[in-house]
Every structure is written in C-alpha cells, then in structure tokens.
Amino acid sequence: MPSTSGSAPGKIILLGEHAVVYGQPAIAVPVHQVAARAFARPLLRAPSGTIHIVAEDVGMDEDLANLDDTNPLAAAIRLTLLELGIERPIALQLKVSSSIPVAAGLGSGAAVSVAIIRTISAFMGHSLPDERVSALAFEVEKLHHGTPSGIDNTVVTFAKPVYFIKGQPLQTFHVGQPFNLLIADTGIASPTRIAVGDVRTAWQADSPRYESLFAKIGGLVQQARRSIENGENTALGPLMNENHALLQEMGVSSPELDSLVSAARSAGAHGAKLSGGGRGGNMIGLVDEGNAGAISQALSAAGAKSVIATVVK
Ligand code: PMV
C-alpha cells in the first residue's frame, strides 16, 4: 500500500449563519490560506487492524482501538472504514495536522474530517467521491455539534463558494468579480454547539420573533447572491452590516466581535459582520485591495489576535 494524503481548506460564512439551521439559505466560501491535512503510511510490523493516530496539534499519539467515537478523528476513520466495508485494514499510521484555528468559525472540525476521510479511503484504494466525503463528514459533525446545517462539510469538501440550503443538493454560483475579505480573530474560542443551542432555546421561547429574524437574514442572502453574481461587490457591504445587526438581535454577537466590526467599518471596510457561530471566533470585513493593509492594521490595533486576507473568486 502506498502512502496517501488528503486535505481540505478552511471556510467562512459570508452571510446566513444560524438562520441556515432553520431552512434559510446561507453563502459560504473556502479560505485557502488555512488547511487541514492528513497523511497515511503503512505500518509494516504492526498487526493488521492497527491504526495509529498522530495529531501533534492536539497532543494525540494513540491507537484507534483506544478511542471511542466521542473523538471526532476516530469517528471519521470508523465511518470511512464502514462505508468501504473494511473491518480489518492493513496496519497504518495516520498523521493529522491543521492550520485552521479551532472553535473560531473557520470550519476546522469539518476540514479535519474531510482530510481524514479522503486520506483513509485513498489509502484503501477506494477514493470516495466528494458527495460521499461530504456526507460522511456531516455524520461526524452531527455526532459533535448537535444540529449542524451541513454547510461546513459542504463548502470545505467542494472548496468553492456555495449557496447552501439545508437538505438540498449543492448549489455553486458564479462570482462576477473577485472580492477581498479580511478575517479577524477575537482570539476567544467559542464552540458552535453552544451558540446554536442557545439560539434554539430562544427560538423555542419566542418563535415568531426568531422566525422573522431568520426570514430577514434569508432575504439578505438572496440579495447578496445576486450582487455577487452581477459583480456588484460593494453592494455586499450594507447587506453584511444588516446581517450583523440581525445576529446582534439574536444574541450571538459579543463586545469583542462588535468592536472589531466597528474598527473595520471606521477604517474603510464596505461592510463587516461576525462569521460563524458567534460569541467569539472571527469576524469578516469586505475591503478593497488598496485599503486592506490599513484596515488589517486597524483590526490588530482593536485587539484582533490574527488577520487573514483572502480573495473570493
Ligand atoms: O462552524 P461555524 O462556527 O462557522 O458555524 C456554523 C454556522 C451555524 O449556522 C451557526 C451552524 C450551522 O450548523 O450551520
């Protein structure tokens, strides 16, 4: 068996987070500046069935047999073997690494799953098609994130901008003119599961109010898709700002996110909003290439722990 490897990029949600869990559309784009990677090689002297996982980033150096499915790496491996109908694979070592910040809205969990599923299936000589890779990564997401919409596994698997509606087939769309985003990290780890659970509790307590917020967000997402397709990128800024205001109303922003959003706007961003689960993690700003450097500096001065520049195309 030759060695194999697999990877997946990070992602950000441009508009539509949270509302997407309730059936509204959302737009997400890959972030190629960060990635998760996996690498498998045969372990010639170990008994068949042995899978040894090394993930230095999280301090893991462990046999699969010692991990249960509460560990997402173990779950991704087992689901892949089950999909392929393999009970006792030849012994292998799986190395996993990622430059995607964890619990920051950049799709780290889904990207790690996709990298593992690709690497293990290729190692077994049966590389899975993207539809199956995404579906298996979604199973891992469900084990670990409560009620995910499926947007993360979809965008990191297909590595293209997606217009996503829960439970519907993938829709990619045309980006009329490339546009620039800055992604700034509050440095506050915020598990998506908790923010999603809190929104669910609030929705249960006052569903008319939350349904109306979700529907307004869905409308913004539809307008944003048209603007992007037509290459009217500056029109996207006000839509992002409105989306942020609705997320604030839903209770998923935070003082740190709001202060980075204000800093980006004051420094000349066309629009800015939190991205992902909220409470912490990252915000995004729509910028021109010419002022990206100045806005990035303003974000750092306002407390951003890191700033990533990316181009959506
Ligand atoms: O993984 P994050 O933090 O980008 O959040 C995913 C977006 C949510 O809409 C909040 C949840 C979901 O499953 O779609």
Side-chain angles (χ1 to χ4, degrees), residues 6 41 46 52 56 69 75 86 105 108 114 118 124 138 143 194 212 224 240 247 249-250 254 266 277 287-288 298:
R41 68 175 178 88
H52 189 77
E56 281 172 10
D69 282 348
I86 295 171
S108 130
V114 168
R118 285 189 168 138
M124 301 301 162
F138 186 45
L143 285 174
I194 295 176
S212 146
M240 290 166 66
L247 288 162
E249 278 191 54
M250 277 165 58
S254 70
S266 309
V287 301
D288 292 326

Side-chain angles (χ1 to χ4, degrees), residues 149-163:
S149 62
I151 193 167
D152 280 20
N153 49 282
T154 303
V155 66
V156 305
T157 300
F158 292 91
K160 288 182 189 145
V162 299
Y163 181 85

Side-chain angles (χ1 to χ4, degrees), residues 11 13 17-18 20-21 105 147-152 192 196 276-277:
K11 73 102 217 330
I13 295 181
E17 50 275 273
H18 287 291
V20 69
V21 175
T147 54
S149 62
I151 193 167
D152 280 20
T192 300
V196 170

Side-chain angles (χ1 to χ4, degrees), residues 98-309:
S98 174
S99 58
I100 308 174
V102 175
L106 283 166
S108 130
V112 166
S113 295
V114 168
I116 290 175
I117 295 161
R118 285 189 168 138
T119 302
I120 295 284
S121 62
F123 187 84
M124 301 301 162
H126 296 283
S127 288
L128 291 167
D130 283 344
E131 284 75 16
R132 290 310 303 155
V133 171
S134 180
L136 294 180
F138 186 45
E139 292 306 312
V140 183
E141 294 279 285
K142 281 197 272 195
L143 285 174
H144 296 280
H145 298 301
T147 54
S149 62
I151 193 167
D152 280 20
N153 49 282
T154 303
V155 66
V156 305
T157 300
F158 292 91
K160 288 182 189 145
V162 299
Y163 181 85
F164 180 87
I165 300 174
K166 188 176 170 179
Q168 291 194 9
L170 172 74
Q171 290 185 51
T172 54
F173 62 97
H174 173 66
V175 177
Q177 285 288 333
F179 56 95
N180 296 280
L181 291 176
L182 292 178
I183 306 165
D185 196 345
T186 59
I188 299 167
S190 171
T192 300
R193 186 170 40 82
I194 295 176
V196 170
D198 288 352
V199 170
R200 183 162 297 274
T201 307
W203 167 69
Q204 280 161 346
D206 189 354
S207 50
R209 176 159 169 258
Y210 273 75
E211 297 284 349
S212 146
L213 291 169
F214 298 151
K216 283 184 195 159
I217 291 175
L220 296 175
V221 174
Q222 288 172 9
Q223 289 182 55
R225 176 179 176 162
R226 282 195 291 276
S227 300
I228 296 170
E229 285 177 327
N230 296 335
E232 295 157 1
N233 293 338
T234 49
L236 208 52
L239 300 174
M240 290 166 66
N241 290 340
E242 284 182 56
N243 194 165
H244 185 71
L246 293 166
L247 288 162
Q248 283 176 315
E249 278 191 54
M250 277 165 58
V252 294
S253 193
S254 70
E256 294 82 2
L257 282 164
D258 290 344
S259 116
L260 293 183
V261 163
S262 303
R265 290 178 191 156
S266 309
H270 296 293
K273 63 182 277 293
L274 71 84
S275 177
R279 298 273 166 77
N282 280 274
M283 56 71 69
I284 54 174
L286 177 69
V287 301
D288 292 326
E289 213 178 338
N291 63 10
I295 299 173
S296 177
Q297 278 176 10
L299 285 164
S300 299
K305 298 295 174 283
S306 71
V307 183
I308 298 170

